[in-house]
Amino acid sequence: MNQDFNREWLVNKFEEIRERILKVTSQLDDDQLNWRPNEASHSISTLIKHIEGNIKERC
């Protein structure tokens, strides 16, 4: 039972975060999504690609 609660909470939290990411990215243009503060940093778009890859890998 506790495990089901955690799963449901996690799914809801993930959807909440997903919606917030979509709202934020819709307010940015391509240059802003691909901007990196320095050569060692990742852009927002790269970070989202990494997150997507991690999710797909575990499904």
Side-chain angles (χ1 to χ4, degrees), residues 13-48:
K13 182 56 74 175
F14 178 80
E15 284 301 320
E16 176 186 317
I17 292 168
R18 180 181 163 276
E19 290 297 320
R20 292 173 76 185
I21 289 171
L22 290 172
K23 286 179 184 177
V24 168
T25 56
S26 71
Q27 297 175 28
L28 302 174
D29 62 28
D30 286 346
D31 288 337
Q32 292 170 317
L33 286 172
N34 293 301
W35 177 80
R36 298 177 346 176
N38 59 55
E39 291 297 317
S41 299
H42 292 297
S43 66
I44 294 170
S45 61
T46 301
L47 292 170
I48 292 173

